[in-house]
Amino acid sequence: MAAEAATGSELIQVVALLTAGVVAVPIFKRMGLGSILGYLAAGLVIGPFGLRIFSEPEAILHVAELGVVMFLFIIGLEMQPSRLWGLRQQIFGLGTAQVGFCALLLTLVGVIGGFPLNVAFVAGAGFVLTSTAVVMQILEERGEVSSPRGQRMVSILLFEDLMIVPLLALVVFLAPSASEVTLSERLVDVAIGVASIVGLVLAGRYLLNPLFRVLADSRAREVMTAAALLVVLGSALAMQLGGLSMAMGAFLAGVMLSESTFRHQLEADVEPFRGILLGLFFMAVGMSLDLAVVAENWHLVAIYVVAYMVMKAVGIYVVARFRSSHRDALDRAVVMAQGGEFAFVLYSAATGVGIIDGEANAILTAIIIVSMILTPFAIIALRAVMPKDEQSLEGVEVADGLDSSVLIIGFGRFGQIVSQPLLLRGVDVSIIDNDVEMIQAAADFGFKVYYGDGTRLDILHAAGAGRARAVLICVDKAETAVRIAEHVKAEFPLIPVLARAYDRGAAIGLMNVGVDFQIRETFESALLFGGATLEKLGVDEAEVAEVIADVRRRDAERLELQISGGLQAGRRLMKGNIPEPTPTPLTPPRRPGQAMNEGAADALGGRGAAAAEEGA
């Protein structure tokens, strides 16, 4: 009975954990506060200082840290060794500058607050270690992990993960009993750490690919998944045993497999576990917030949260301004201003060697957690006060006074191909686009593209739409193409307008506006592709041409019906792949029909009446 009660209690906790995350995260995302804050709030509600469904968040936190580990493994899969080598200056140069300068500023905050130098350094150094989980989650939600801005943050995070090793060594050195640790013992610890890294690199280079090749031949999907988890957790364990960061071990394993043919399979296998465990990590952090300590020392917590976050943001901004714009530097300063999960490890080590006591550890941990909670709010505040990001037009000419035979609006992959027959024929062409980066890239290939928004009537006048012999609308977005067509046909009704349509809906919209020609961007290529497939299957060229002509006829007829009847009209003209029922051929009856009553006789006519009389 006791075992059953314990099992039931554990099941209640699992259900409560999942329920809290499932309910809180969508609500917070709907409110614009992000998923991280949702997980933190959910953990706070069900933790020991909320509903008390969980009483030991530390146990959950240890398991949930695997989410961060798997996150770093996936990031490592995206970082080929050559790419990582290309980031070496950012990792060691930018990372060293930011960590060193911020550590100095935060140590000064502690010294000014009246703490001893060693305590102030440990407290500040812990806060310097930014939360990998928070920053990576923010970058992922923004879609900026692979952007230059995101890569700089990832580089700094990687350097901070490396810094946990020397910082733990410094904690031992600064401890009151540091004299008991000899130089040889310290050198042995360093050697073990280096040996762990070398061993992991060698194993990744010479063992992992052959291992996965053998497992792939076995065609057992579950074994591949188990092997992926084994690589991640085994690498993390190897680094931990060597006194290093588990996340760093997983990252190195990912880098070693980044050029493997199994990279995408590994990412797909690990991704579900990563997402769940990372959410669990944030919930465990929320549970770990000791509200009693915060309430008892609220003034101290509030002062140091603000002081640490502001000073760290100032340090990050100053370092970032050497290489980045004001906007990018400010964004990095706000996103990375919080403390991180590795601070918990550093503070625990400092408590173990006597630099800080248990109460100071609880206060510092609360400061870290509160800073993580405040980060989403700080980002929202920054977004509210910062003006919208305006594109720099440096080196780009704005469309003004253009006078060409043809005006092309939009110079993406479609517009670039459209321009070729015109330019080869010697037609005078003006091109406008509102993507500065594309304009700058086009210049490298010999194209003069002017900056201009085709949806604005004044830009159309400046670009020479009224003087052109034809206007070509080649933009990507369907609604933008229709809006430009409306402006051109209303303002310059005699100018021929040819437009690219994204899909059937866009084509109908353009036809309703009155463009002279429209084409769906994938229609011709799809017909060519289908015809080539039929030829590969052995169909005669004449028959292929006949089939393609039939498709064109059906499509044109269907499009005409859709203009008046909506997108669902003309469905009968499409050939689906669901077999349609075929009626059974009619066969003559063996005997003529006979009427059994007067009503049936009337229905059957004279023949039926005669038969009825005979029957009578």
Side-chain angles (χ1 to χ4, degrees), residues 524-554:
E524 291 297 332
S525 58
L527 287 181
L528 183 62
F529 193 93
T533 304
L534 289 177
E535 290 181 7
K536 288 295 181 183
L537 295 175
V539 181
D540 183 73
E541 286 188 20
E543 188 177 349
V544 170
E546 184 179 342
V547 171
I548 297 300
D550 188 36
V551 174
R552 289 184 186 278
R553 179 189 60 77
R554 286 169 173 265

PDB file of all heavy atoms in Angstrom, residues 524-554:
ATOM      1  N   GLU A 524       4.678  27.331 -64.784  1.00  0.00           N
ATOM      2  CA  GLU A 524       5.409  26.840 -65.950  1.00  0.00           C
ATOM      3  C   GLU A 524       6.472  25.816 -65.558  1.00  0.00           C
ATOM      4  O   GLU A 524       6.653  24.793 -66.243  1.00  0.00           O
ATOM      5  CB  GLU A 524       6.052  28.010 -66.695  1.00  0.00           C
ATOM      6  CG  GLU A 524       5.068  28.928 -67.378  1.00  0.00           C
ATOM      7  CD  GLU A 524       4.268  28.226 -68.476  1.00  0.00           C
ATOM      8  OE1 GLU A 524       4.800  27.251 -69.063  1.00  0.00           O
ATOM      9  OE2 GLU A 524       3.135  28.635 -68.734  1.00  0.00           O
ATOM     10  N   SER A 525       7.186  26.071 -64.473  1.00  0.00           N
ATOM     11  CA  SER A 525       8.226  25.124 -64.064  1.00  0.00           C
ATOM     12  C   SER A 525       7.609  23.792 -63.639  1.00  0.00           C
ATOM     13  O   SER A 525       8.171  22.720 -63.893  1.00  0.00           O
ATOM     14  CB  SER A 525       9.057  25.703 -62.919  1.00  0.00           C
ATOM     15  OG  SER A 525       8.231  26.018 -61.808  1.00  0.00           O
ATOM     16  N   ALA A 526       6.429  23.832 -63.005  1.00  0.00           N
ATOM     17  CA  ALA A 526       5.762  22.600 -62.586  1.00  0.00           C
ATOM     18  C   ALA A 526       5.287  21.791 -63.789  1.00  0.00           C
ATOM     19  O   ALA A 526       5.390  20.556 -63.811  1.00  0.00           O
ATOM     20  CB  ALA A 526       4.583  22.928 -61.669  1.00  0.00           C
ATOM     21  N   LEU A 527       4.764  22.486 -64.820  1.00  0.00           N
ATOM     22  CA  LEU A 527       4.351  21.784 -66.034  1.00  0.00           C
ATOM     23  C   LEU A 527       5.557  21.124 -66.709  1.00  0.00           C
ATOM     24  O   LEU A 527       5.487  19.974 -67.165  1.00  0.00           O
ATOM     25  CB  LEU A 527       3.678  22.758 -67.005  1.00  0.00           C
ATOM     26  CG  LEU A 527       2.269  23.234 -66.654  1.00  0.00           C
ATOM     27  CD1 LEU A 527       1.749  24.178 -67.733  1.00  0.00           C
ATOM     28  CD2 LEU A 527       1.320  22.069 -66.476  1.00  0.00           C
ATOM     29  N   LEU A 528       6.660  21.845 -66.790  1.00  0.00           N
ATOM     30  CA  LEU A 528       7.873  21.290 -67.390  1.00  0.00           C
ATOM     31  C   LEU A 528       8.371  20.081 -66.598  1.00  0.00           C
ATOM     32  O   LEU A 528       8.772  19.066 -67.164  1.00  0.00           O
ATOM     33  CB  LEU A 528       8.953  22.377 -67.445  1.00  0.00           C
ATOM     34  CG  LEU A 528      10.276  22.004 -68.118  1.00  0.00           C
ATOM     35  CD1 LEU A 528      10.040  21.656 -69.588  1.00  0.00           C
ATOM     36  CD2 LEU A 528      11.265  23.156 -67.993  1.00  0.00           C
ATOM     37  N   PHE A 529       8.296  20.189 -65.303  1.00  0.00           N
ATOM     38  CA  PHE A 529       8.728  19.102 -64.419  1.00  0.00           C
ATOM     39  C   PHE A 529       7.852  17.867 -64.617  1.00  0.00           C
ATOM     40  O   PHE A 529       8.339  16.739 -64.735  1.00  0.00           O
ATOM     41  CB  PHE A 529       8.655  19.586 -62.964  1.00  0.00           C
ATOM     42  CG  PHE A 529       9.353  18.714 -61.976  1.00  0.00           C
ATOM     43  CD1 PHE A 529      10.670  18.961 -61.625  1.00  0.00           C
ATOM     44  CD2 PHE A 529       8.709  17.640 -61.389  1.00  0.00           C
ATOM     45  CE1 PHE A 529      11.322  18.162 -60.704  1.00  0.00           C
ATOM     46  CE2 PHE A 529       9.350  16.832 -60.477  1.00  0.00           C
ATOM     47  CZ  PHE A 529      10.659  17.085 -60.130  1.00  0.00           C
ATOM     48  N   GLY A 530       6.521  18.082 -64.665  1.00  0.00           N
ATOM     49  CA  GLY A 530       5.605  16.965 -64.859  1.00  0.00           C
ATOM     50  C   GLY A 530       5.796  16.314 -66.218  1.00  0.00           C
ATOM     51  O   GLY A 530       5.768  15.077 -66.344  1.00  0.00           O
ATOM     52  N   GLY A 531       5.996  17.133 -67.264  1.00  0.00           N
ATOM     53  CA  GLY A 531       6.234  16.581 -68.596  1.00  0.00           C
ATOM     54  C   GLY A 531       7.506  15.768 -68.655  1.00  0.00           C
ATOM     55  O   GLY A 531       7.542  14.685 -69.273  1.00  0.00           O
ATOM     56  N   ALA A 532       8.574  16.266 -68.023  1.00  0.00           N
ATOM     57  CA  ALA A 532       9.839  15.529 -67.998  1.00  0.00           C
ATOM     58  C   ALA A 532       9.669  14.188 -67.287  1.00  0.00           C
ATOM     59  O   ALA A 532      10.266  13.174 -67.679  1.00  0.00           O
ATOM     60  CB  ALA A 532      10.918  16.361 -67.312  1.00  0.00           C
ATOM     61  N   THR A 533       8.840  14.165 -66.241  1.00  0.00           N
ATOM     62  CA  THR A 533       8.588  12.914 -65.517  1.00  0.00           C
ATOM     63  C   THR A 533       7.891  11.894 -66.415  1.00  0.00           C
ATOM     64  O   THR A 533       8.239  10.713 -66.422  1.00  0.00           O
ATOM     65  CB  THR A 533       7.735  13.191 -64.266  1.00  0.00           C
ATOM     66  OG1 THR A 533       8.380  14.172 -63.449  1.00  0.00           O
ATOM     67  CG2 THR A 533       7.530  11.927 -63.452  1.00  0.00           C
ATOM     68  N   LEU A 534       6.880  12.362 -67.166  1.00  0.00           N
ATOM     69  CA  LEU A 534       6.193  11.456 -68.089  1.00  0.00           C
ATOM     70  C   LEU A 534       7.158  10.887 -69.129  1.00  0.00           C
ATOM     71  O   LEU A 534       7.096   9.702 -69.471  1.00  0.00           O
ATOM     72  CB  LEU A 534       5.046  12.193 -68.787  1.00  0.00           C
ATOM     73  CG  LEU A 534       3.824  12.539 -67.923  1.00  0.00           C
ATOM     74  CD1 LEU A 534       2.810  13.340 -68.728  1.00  0.00           C
ATOM     75  CD2 LEU A 534       3.174  11.273 -67.369  1.00  0.00           C
ATOM     76  N   GLU A 535       8.051  11.719 -69.637  1.00  0.00           N
ATOM     77  CA  GLU A 535       9.024  11.236 -70.615  1.00  0.00           C
ATOM     78  C   GLU A 535       9.945  10.193 -70.005  1.00  0.00           C
ATOM     79  O   GLU A 535      10.290   9.199 -70.664  1.00  0.00           O
ATOM     80  CB  GLU A 535       9.832  12.414 -71.162  1.00  0.00           C
ATOM     81  CG  GLU A 535       9.028  13.355 -72.053  1.00  0.00           C
ATOM     82  CD  GLU A 535       9.874  14.503 -72.590  1.00  0.00           C
ATOM     83  OE1 GLU A 535      11.103  14.467 -72.374  1.00  0.00           O
ATOM     84  OE2 GLU A 535       9.317  15.412 -73.227  1.00  0.00           O
ATOM     85  N   LYS A 536      10.363  10.404 -68.743  1.00  0.00           N
ATOM     86  CA  LYS A 536      11.208   9.416 -68.070  1.00  0.00           C
ATOM     87  C   LYS A 536      10.464   8.101 -67.872  1.00  0.00           C
ATOM     88  O   LYS A 536      11.081   7.026 -67.794  1.00  0.00           O
ATOM     89  CB  LYS A 536      11.667   9.958 -66.712  1.00  0.00           C
ATOM     90  CG  LYS A 536      12.700  11.073 -66.803  1.00  0.00           C
ATOM     91  CD  LYS A 536      14.002  10.588 -67.402  1.00  0.00           C
ATOM     92  CE  LYS A 536      15.038  11.700 -67.463  1.00  0.00           C
ATOM     93  NZ  LYS A 536      16.292  11.242 -68.126  1.00  0.00           N
ATOM     94  N   LEU A 537       9.129   8.182 -67.763  1.00  0.00           N
ATOM     95  CA  LEU A 537       8.327   6.971 -67.599  1.00  0.00           C
ATOM     96  C   LEU A 537       8.031   6.285 -68.931  1.00  0.00           C
ATOM     97  O   LEU A 537       7.312   5.275 -68.965  1.00  0.00           O
ATOM     98  CB  LEU A 537       7.015   7.316 -66.883  1.00  0.00           C
ATOM     99  CG  LEU A 537       7.146   7.818 -65.442  1.00  0.00           C
ATOM    100  CD1 LEU A 537       5.797   8.225 -64.895  1.00  0.00           C
ATOM    101  CD2 LEU A 537       7.767   6.736 -64.559  1.00  0.00           C
ATOM    102  N   GLY A 538       8.539   6.830 -70.047  1.00  0.00           N
ATOM    103  CA  GLY A 538       8.400   6.189 -71.341  1.00  0.00           C
ATOM    104  C   GLY A 538       7.248   6.671 -72.190  1.00  0.00           C
ATOM    105  O   GLY A 538       6.943   6.064 -73.229  1.00  0.00           O
ATOM    106  N   VAL A 539       6.592   7.760 -71.798  1.00  0.00           N
ATOM    107  CA  VAL A 539       5.481   8.295 -72.577  1.00  0.00           C
ATOM    108  C   VAL A 539       6.024   9.035 -73.801  1.00  0.00           C
ATOM    109  O   VAL A 539       7.021   9.761 -73.703  1.00  0.00           O
ATOM    110  CB  VAL A 539       4.600   9.231 -71.717  1.00  0.00           C
ATOM    111  CG1 VAL A 539       3.425   9.774 -72.528  1.00  0.00           C
ATOM    112  CG2 VAL A 539       4.101   8.489 -70.484  1.00  0.00           C
ATOM    113  N   ASP A 540       5.365   8.855 -74.945  1.00  0.00           N
ATOM    114  CA  ASP A 540       5.798   9.498 -76.179  1.00  0.00           C
ATOM    115  C   ASP A 540       5.722  11.018 -76.068  1.00  0.00           C
ATOM    116  O   ASP A 540       4.844  11.559 -75.388  1.00  0.00           O
ATOM    117  CB  ASP A 540       4.913   9.022 -77.334  1.00  0.00           C
ATOM    118  CG  ASP A 540       5.365   9.595 -78.668  1.00  0.00           C
ATOM    119  OD1 ASP A 540       6.402   9.150 -79.185  1.00  0.00           O
ATOM    120  OD2 ASP A 540       4.669  10.509 -79.147  1.00  0.00           O
ATOM    121  N   GLU A 541       6.659  11.733 -76.726  1.00  0.00           N
ATOM    122  CA  GLU A 541       6.713  13.192 -76.637  1.00  0.00           C
ATOM    123  C   GLU A 541       5.416  13.836 -77.118  1.00  0.00           C
ATOM    124  O   GLU A 541       4.939  14.803 -76.526  1.00  0.00           O
ATOM    125  CB  GLU A 541       7.881  13.733 -77.465  1.00  0.00           C
ATOM    126  CG  GLU A 541       9.239  13.495 -76.845  1.00  0.00           C
ATOM    127  CD  GLU A 541      10.341  14.210 -77.610  1.00  0.00           C
ATOM    128  OE1 GLU A 541      10.020  15.166 -78.350  1.00  0.00           O
ATOM    129  OE2 GLU A 541      11.511  13.824 -77.462  1.00  0.00           O
ATOM    130  N   ALA A 542       4.836  13.311 -78.181  1.00  0.00           N
ATOM    131  CA  ALA A 542       3.585  13.885 -78.693  1.00  0.00           C
ATOM    132  C   ALA A 542       2.466  13.741 -77.679  1.00  0.00           C
ATOM    133  O   ALA A 542       1.661  14.665 -77.471  1.00  0.00           O
ATOM    134  CB  ALA A 542       3.208  13.197 -80.013  1.00  0.00           C
ATOM    135  N   GLU A 543       2.430  12.598 -77.006  1.00  0.00           N
ATOM    136  CA  GLU A 543       1.388  12.386 -75.999  1.00  0.00           C
ATOM    137  C   GLU A 543       1.626  13.274 -74.781  1.00  0.00           C
ATOM    138  O   GLU A 543       0.683  13.787 -74.180  1.00  0.00           O
ATOM    139  CB  GLU A 543       1.353  10.920 -75.587  1.00  0.00           C
ATOM    140  CG  GLU A 543       0.167  10.577 -74.687  1.00  0.00           C
ATOM    141  CD  GLU A 543       0.110   9.100 -74.357  1.00  0.00           C
ATOM    142  OE1 GLU A 543       0.853   8.308 -74.980  1.00  0.00           O
ATOM    143  OE2 GLU A 543      -0.684   8.744 -73.457  1.00  0.00           O
ATOM    144  N   VAL A 544       2.897  13.460 -74.438  1.00  0.00           N
ATOM    145  CA  VAL A 544       3.227  14.361 -73.324  1.00  0.00           C
ATOM    146  C   VAL A 544       2.741  15.769 -73.636  1.00  0.00           C
ATOM    147  O   VAL A 544       2.124  16.435 -72.792  1.00  0.00           O
ATOM    148  CB  VAL A 544       4.748  14.356 -73.056  1.00  0.00           C
ATOM    149  CG1 VAL A 544       5.113  15.477 -72.072  1.00  0.00           C
ATOM    150  CG2 VAL A 544       5.194  13.012 -72.507  1.00  0.00           C
ATOM    151  N   ALA A 545       3.018  16.244 -74.850  1.00  0.00           N
ATOM    152  CA  ALA A 545       2.580  17.581 -75.243  1.00  0.00           C
ATOM    153  C   ALA A 545       1.060  17.693 -75.200  1.00  0.00           C
ATOM    154  O   ALA A 545       0.496  18.718 -74.786  1.00  0.00           O
ATOM    155  CB  ALA A 545       3.097  17.901 -76.643  1.00  0.00           C
ATOM    156  N   GLU A 546       0.375  16.629 -75.585  1.00  0.00           N
ATOM    157  CA  GLU A 546      -1.092  16.626 -75.563  1.00  0.00           C
ATOM    158  C   GLU A 546      -1.611  16.700 -74.125  1.00  0.00           C
ATOM    159  O   GLU A 546      -2.558  17.432 -73.834  1.00  0.00           O
ATOM    160  CB  GLU A 546      -1.601  15.365 -76.255  1.00  0.00           C
ATOM    161  CG  GLU A 546      -3.122  15.310 -76.385  1.00  0.00           C
ATOM    162  CD  GLU A 546      -3.590  14.053 -77.101  1.00  0.00           C
ATOM    163  OE1 GLU A 546      -2.765  13.409 -77.784  1.00  0.00           O
ATOM    164  OE2 GLU A 546      -4.779  13.715 -76.976  1.00  0.00           O
ATOM    165  N   VAL A 547      -0.971  15.939 -73.243  1.00  0.00           N
ATOM    166  CA  VAL A 547      -1.391  15.954 -71.827  1.00  0.00           C
ATOM    167  C   VAL A 547      -1.157  17.330 -71.214  1.00  0.00           C
ATOM    168  O   VAL A 547      -2.018  17.871 -70.501  1.00  0.00           O
ATOM    169  CB  VAL A 547      -0.637  14.868 -71.029  1.00  0.00           C
ATOM    170  CG1 VAL A 547      -0.895  15.029 -69.533  1.00  0.00           C
ATOM    171  CG2 VAL A 547      -1.058  13.485 -71.490  1.00  0.00           C
ATOM    172  N   ILE A 548       0.012  17.933 -71.472  1.00  0.00           N
ATOM    173  CA  ILE A 548       0.322  19.249 -70.923  1.00  0.00           C
ATOM    174  C   ILE A 548      -0.658  20.292 -71.460  1.00  0.00           C
ATOM    175  O   ILE A 548      -1.120  21.182 -70.725  1.00  0.00           O
ATOM    176  CB  ILE A 548       1.777  19.653 -71.253  1.00  0.00           C
ATOM    177  CG1 ILE A 548       2.759  18.687 -70.589  1.00  0.00           C
ATOM    178  CG2 ILE A 548       2.053  21.082 -70.800  1.00  0.00           C
ATOM    179  CD1 ILE A 548       2.668  18.631 -69.086  1.00  0.00           C
ATOM    180  N   ALA A 549      -1.013  20.185 -72.729  1.00  0.00           N
ATOM    181  CA  ALA A 549      -1.992  21.114 -73.302  1.00  0.00           C
ATOM    182  C   ALA A 549      -3.345  20.961 -72.625  1.00  0.00           C
ATOM    183  O   ALA A 549      -4.056  21.951 -72.380  1.00  0.00           O
ATOM    184  CB  ALA A 549      -2.111  20.875 -74.807  1.00  0.00           C
ATOM    185  N   ASP A 550      -3.706  19.721 -72.294  1.00  0.00           N
ATOM    186  CA  ASP A 550      -4.973  19.477 -71.592  1.00  0.00           C
ATOM    187  C   ASP A 550      -4.950  20.094 -70.194  1.00  0.00           C
ATOM    188  O   ASP A 550      -5.940  20.663 -69.727  1.00  0.00           O
ATOM    189  CB  ASP A 550      -5.225  17.971 -71.513  1.00  0.00           C
ATOM    190  CG  ASP A 550      -6.615  17.649 -70.965  1.00  0.00           C
ATOM    191  OD1 ASP A 550      -7.574  18.401 -71.273  1.00  0.00           O
ATOM    192  OD2 ASP A 550      -6.747  16.668 -70.212  1.00  0.00           O
ATOM    193  N   VAL A 551      -3.786  19.987 -69.527  1.00  0.00           N
ATOM    194  CA  VAL A 551      -3.649  20.602 -68.190  1.00  0.00           C
ATOM    195  C   VAL A 551      -3.815  22.121 -68.292  1.00  0.00           C
ATOM    196  O   VAL A 551      -4.498  22.745 -67.471  1.00  0.00           O
ATOM    197  CB  VAL A 551      -2.291  20.250 -67.559  1.00  0.00           C
ATOM    198  CG1 VAL A 551      -2.099  21.017 -66.239  1.00  0.00           C
ATOM    199  CG2 VAL A 551      -2.185  18.754 -67.300  1.00  0.00           C
ATOM    200  N   ARG A 552      -3.194  22.723 -69.302  1.00  0.00           N
ATOM    201  CA  ARG A 552      -3.317  24.174 -69.491  1.00  0.00           C
ATOM    202  C   ARG A 552      -4.777  24.565 -69.720  1.00  0.00           C
ATOM    203  O   ARG A 552      -5.260  25.549 -69.154  1.00  0.00           O
ATOM    204  CB  ARG A 552      -2.479  24.626 -70.690  1.00  0.00           C
ATOM    205  CG  ARG A 552      -0.982  24.584 -70.495  1.00  0.00           C
ATOM    206  CD  ARG A 552      -0.283  25.148 -71.729  1.00  0.00           C
ATOM    207  NE  ARG A 552       1.144  24.998 -71.657  1.00  0.00           N
ATOM    208  CZ  ARG A 552       1.949  25.815 -70.990  1.00  0.00           C
ATOM    209  NH1 ARG A 552       1.441  26.850 -70.332  1.00  0.00           N
ATOM    210  NH2 ARG A 552       3.251  25.614 -70.979  1.00  0.00           N
ATOM    211  N   ARG A 553      -5.479  23.792 -70.568  1.00  0.00           N
ATOM    212  CA  ARG A 553      -6.878  24.111 -70.867  1.00  0.00           C
ATOM    213  C   ARG A 553      -7.740  24.011 -69.602  1.00  0.00           C
ATOM    214  O   ARG A 553      -8.536  24.905 -69.303  1.00  0.00           O
ATOM    215  CB  ARG A 553      -7.406  23.150 -71.941  1.00  0.00           C
ATOM    216  CG  ARG A 553      -8.875  23.377 -72.310  1.00  0.00           C
ATOM    217  CD  ARG A 553      -9.392  22.271 -73.195  1.00  0.00           C
ATOM    218  NE  ARG A 553      -9.304  20.967 -72.561  1.00  0.00           N
ATOM    219  CZ  ARG A 553     -10.178  20.554 -71.620  1.00  0.00           C
ATOM    220  NH1 ARG A 553     -11.154  21.344 -71.208  1.00  0.00           N
ATOM    221  NH2 ARG A 553     -10.040  19.350 -71.096  1.00  0.00           N
ATOM    222  N   ARG A 554      -7.554  22.936 -68.860  1.00  0.00           N
ATOM    223  CA  ARG A 554      -8.328  22.752 -67.630  1.00  0.00           C
ATOM    224  C   ARG A 554      -8.021  23.877 -66.623  1.00  0.00           C
ATOM    225  O   ARG A 554      -8.922  24.398 -65.965  1.00  0.00           O
ATOM    226  CB  ARG A 554      -7.979  21.400 -66.992  1.00  0.00           C
ATOM    227  CG  ARG A 554      -8.559  20.194 -67.710  1.00  0.00           C
ATOM    228  CD  ARG A 554      -7.928  18.902 -67.175  1.00  0.00           C
ATOM    229  NE  ARG A 554      -8.573  17.720 -67.705  1.00  0.00           N
ATOM    230  CZ  ARG A 554      -9.557  17.046 -67.082  1.00  0.00           C
ATOM    231  NH1 ARG A 554      -9.987  17.465 -65.910  1.00  0.00           N
ATOM    232  NH2 ARG A 554     -10.083  15.985 -67.623  1.00  0.00           N
TER     233      ARG A 554
END
